[in-house]
Amino acid sequence: MRIAIVCYPTFGGSGVVATELGIALAKRGHEVHFITYKHPVRLSLINDNIHFHEVHVPEYSLFHYQPYELALSSRMVDTIRLHKIELLHVHYAIPHAYAGYMAKQILKEEGIDIPMVTTLHGTDITLVGNHPFYKPAVTFSINQSDIVTAVSKNLKQKTLEFFDVHKKIEVIPNFIDTKKYSNSYTDCQRSLMAEDDEKIITHISNFRKVKHIPDVIQIFYGIQEKMPAKLILVGEGPEKEQAEVLCDELGISKKVIFLGNTNEVDRILCFSDLFLLPSKSESFGLAALEAMINRTPVISSNTGGLPEVNIQGVTGYLSDVHDVQEMTENALRILEDEETLEKFKENAYKEAFKFDITQVMPLYEAVYKKALKQFYKTV
Ligand code: GMT
């Protein structure tokens, strides 16, 4: 099958999922074309089934906002036409499903008609998409998609709650390739980051407000009061500077390492003892799953799709959003006893296998087949 994938190329979870999906599809013999404004961070072009088409938006001073959706639609049209794409898979309703709909309309004028699968990831539904400024366009784009998928049961429920959607939504959870982790790192180099007696606590995100970075720091503050510990913060984003200030105010700067963006999250997770994800909203929490496959238990909030990934009392603990005290107590409950920590690590690792790519990939392929069948029957 010739598939075009449209996604955000940045460090966010949706881009990672879209990229890993494309790579897996290419390995299974499909021809995959990525269309986005930058080379996706996790994409390596080592497979001749993978192609990348950059969207250029020429700067023009007359425009206060450069029209990205327009450039994206045009790039989709050109790519679909030139490479005889059979199916369009857009990740994120905003603006990808919207631009995809436009591309489809343009191509229809030429007698080209292909199905569009839209995968909802969360921010497009729970944080931005349901804002009155966007809602009509997002509702329309979802309803105009030929097939809609959501990355968790909770996200499906929220979509139906927030939008007047008359499309069936299929739940296809996010995934990881567990094979990549089977020979887990032997060169963990834990010693570069912490002393032998220190526990390593990690958080990875794009440092947006929704991630509740001050809660991450307060939980760590409580942990380091009771035991030697280091906090590793991975990622970049608007909340980072304030986080540095808070660490300074609390007098823990020496125990906190800000690593910035990195492609080596597994290297860091492989020596982590605990992962913190106290987000206000999280449709799935791919970062938590990546922690789990690296044998790192998770302390998270119980929001959104997190309870579908992090299992209470098994792979970690979940608490109400902002309940820093309970999250700290639960973190200590896991860390204070080596036997308990080992049990949680093992549980987290085992649970992650439920989301192996081999379980999830057939669900996407089935959706693609259904889209093609359903679509070509109706044209
Ligand atoms: O919130 C992020 O870290 C980035 C965001 C994105 O758009 O890439 O992540 C969303 O999609 C991920 C992949 O499906 C999910 O694992 C995240 O939970 C989701 N983020 C939110 O819902 C806030």
Side-chain angles (χ1 to χ4, degrees), residues 12-14 92 121-122 151 174 206 208 211 281-286:
S14 65
Y92 248 75
H121 282 274
V151 297
N174 287 333
N206 43 25
R208 285 182 295 150
K211 301 294 172 181
S281 153
E282 204 69 67
S283 72
F284 182 89
L286 185 66

Side-chain angles (χ1 to χ4, degrees), residues 75-191:
R75 197 70 167 125
M76 285 190 213
V77 168
D78 290 342
T79 309
I80 291 167
R81 199 193 276 141
L82 189 66
H83 296 279
K84 304 195 168 34
I85 300 296
E86 294 159 288
L87 183 136
L88 179 62
H89 188 173
V90 299
H91 292 259
Y92 248 75
I94 307 175
H96 300 156
Y98 191 70
Y101 171 78
M102 277 312 298
K104 277 181 56 131
Q105 296 313 304
I106 296 168
L107 286 162
K108 264 186 194 162
E109 294 288 309
E110 302 173 18
I112 301 171
D113 215 351
I114 66 164
M116 175 167 79
V117 175
T118 297
T119 292
L120 307 173
H121 282 274
T123 306
D124 45 356
I125 300 300
T126 52
L127 298 176
V128 185
N130 63 355
H131 191 283
F133 291 169
Y134 298 114
K135 203 169 179 172
V138 173
T139 310
F140 178 82
S141 315
I142 295 173
N143 282 330
Q144 292 300 320
S145 303
D146 296 291
I147 291 200
V148 181
T149 76
V151 297
S152 65
K153 290 184 210 141
N154 180 271
L155 185 60
K156 171 181 175 173
Q157 198 185 312
K158 290 264 165 65
T159 308
L160 296 173
E161 215 175 282
F162 295 160
F163 299 90
D164 185 16
V165 167
H166 53 71
K167 271 260 131 47
K168 183 171 178 273
I169 300 176
E170 315 227 4
V171 176
I172 304 187
N174 287 333
F175 58 86
I176 36 162
D177 183 354
T178 57
K179 264 208 248 83
K180 276 207 306 204
Y181 306 86
S182 52
N183 312 317
S184 59
Y185 287 104
T186 47
D187 57 342
C188 253
Q189 293 191 298
R190 188 183 210 282
S191 58

Side-chain angles (χ1 to χ4, degrees), residues 32-278:
V32 180
H33 294 256
F34 284 93
I35 306 174
T36 182
Y37 61 84
K38 210 173 73 190
H39 197 268
V41 286
R42 290 223 189 155
L43 180 64
S44 51
L45 294 171
I46 36 150
N47 186 316
D48 63 0
N49 274 335
I50 295 179
H51 308 263
F52 168 59
H53 310 275
E54 191 167 329
V55 181
H56 297 282
V57 189
E59 288 274 326
Y60 192 65
S61 58
L62 176 71
F63 301 135
H64 182 61
Y65 301 107
Q66 306 302 320
Y68 177 67
E69 288 83 340
L70 219 66
L72 176 61
S73 293
S74 295
R75 197 70 167 125
M76 285 190 213
V77 168
D78 290 342
T79 309
I80 291 167
R81 199 193 276 141
L82 189 66
H83 296 279
K84 304 195 168 34
I85 300 296
E86 294 159 288
L87 183 136
L88 179 62
H89 188 173
V90 299
H91 292 259
Y92 248 75
I94 307 175
H96 300 156
Y98 191 70
Y101 171 78
M102 277 312 298
K104 277 181 56 131
Q105 296 313 304
I106 296 168
L107 286 162
K108 264 186 194 162
E109 294 288 309
E110 302 173 18
I112 301 171
D113 215 351
I114 66 164
M116 175 167 79
V117 175
T118 297
T119 292
L120 307 173
H121 282 274
T123 306
D124 45 356
I125 300 300
T126 52
L127 298 176
V128 185
N130 63 355
H131 191 283
F133 291 169
Y134 298 114
K135 203 169 179 172
V138 173
T139 310
F140 178 82
S141 315
I142 295 173
N143 282 330
Q144 292 300 320
S145 303
D146 296 291
I147 291 200
V148 181
T149 76
V151 297
S152 65
K153 290 184 210 141
N154 180 271
L155 185 60
K156 171 181 175 173
Q157 198 185 312
K158 290 264 165 65
T159 308
L160 296 173
E161 215 175 282
F162 295 160
F163 299 90
D164 185 16
V165 167
H166 53 71
K167 271 260 131 47
K168 183 171 178 273
I169 300 176
E170 315 227 4
V171 176
I172 304 187
N174 287 333
F175 58 86
I176 36 162
D177 183 354
T178 57
K179 264 208 248 83
K180 276 207 306 204
Y181 306 86
S182 52
N183 312 317
S184 59
Y185 287 104
T186 47
D187 57 342
C188 253
Q189 293 191 298
R190 188 183 210 282
S191 58
L192 290 179
M193 291 291 176
E195 302 296 325
D196 281 354
D197 65 338
E198 284 178 322
K199 289 285 181 271
I200 299 184
I201 321 299
T202 304
H203 169 81
I204 302 173
S205 77
N206 43 25
F207 284 64
R208 285 182 295 150
K209 252 201 160 47
V210 66
K211 301 294 172 181
H212 282 178
I213 304 295
D215 288 4
V216 171
I217 293 167
Q218 293 292 356
I219 298 165
F220 173 72
Y221 183 80
I223 296 172
Q224 60 83 45
E225 280 189 312
K226 300 278 185 219
M227 62 179 65
K230 280 262 166 65
L231 174 65
I232 302 181
L233 294 167
V234 181
E236 292 288 344
E239 295 293 296
K240 192 175 162 193
E241 216 177 298
Q242 246 179 300
E244 284 169 314
V245 172
L246 180 58
C247 290
D248 186 50
E249 282 169 4
L250 293 171
I252 54 169
S253 295
K254 285 215 165 63
K255 296 181 180 181
V256 183
I257 303 161
F258 286 86
L259 275 188
N261 281 332
T262 170
N263 256 335
E264 297 203 298
V265 288
D266 300 323
R267 268 229 142 84
I268 295 147
L269 288 167
C270 88
F271 53 59
S272 298
D273 294 301
L274 199 68
F275 188 76
L276 305 180
L277 197 60

Side-chain angles (χ1 to χ4, degrees), residues 243-361:
E244 284 169 314
V245 172
L246 180 58
C247 290
D248 186 50
E249 282 169 4
L250 293 171
I252 54 169
S253 295
K254 285 215 165 63
K255 296 181 180 181
V256 183
I257 303 161
F258 286 86
L259 275 188
N261 281 332
T262 170
N263 256 335
E264 297 203 298
V265 288
D266 300 323
R267 268 229 142 84
I268 295 147
L269 288 167
C270 88
F271 53 59
S272 298
D273 294 301
L274 199 68
F275 188 76
L276 305 180
L277 197 60
S279 310
K280 179 180 173 206
S281 153
E282 204 69 67
S283 72
F284 182 89
L286 185 66
L289 180 58
E290 291 189 327
M292 285 158 60
I293 192 63
N294 279 291
R295 293 187 158 82
T296 308
V298 177
I299 292 292
S300 72
S301 51
N302 54 15
T303 185
L306 280 170
E308 295 170 49
V309 183
N310 185 21
I311 309 301
Q312 178 77 327
V314 179
T315 61
Y317 288 103
L318 304 95
S319 304
D320 290 343
V321 170
H322 267 326
D323 193 343
V324 169
Q325 194 185 330
E326 190 182 280
M327 291 189 208
T328 309
E329 283 163 13
N330 285 335
L332 290 167
R333 209 166 356 149
I334 295 177
L335 294 170
E336 266 168 352
D337 171 57
E338 282 307 318
E339 216 175 291
T340 310
L341 177 58
E342 271 320 303
K343 192 185 82 196
F344 272 88
K345 282 186 176 215
E346 209 40 44
N347 289 348
Y349 179 65
K350 276 196 198 135
E351 187 67 24
F353 277 81
K354 290 192 183 154
F355 298 92
D356 184 44
I357 191 163
T358 53
Q359 310 288 320
V360 178
M361 193 61 192

Side-chain angles (χ1 to χ4, degrees), residues 15-33:
V16 170
V17 168
T19 309
E20 298 286 354
L21 176 65
I23 294 171
L25 287 164
K27 281 188 190 153
R28 287 166 80 101
H30 300 287
E31 187 179 306
V32 180
H33 294 256

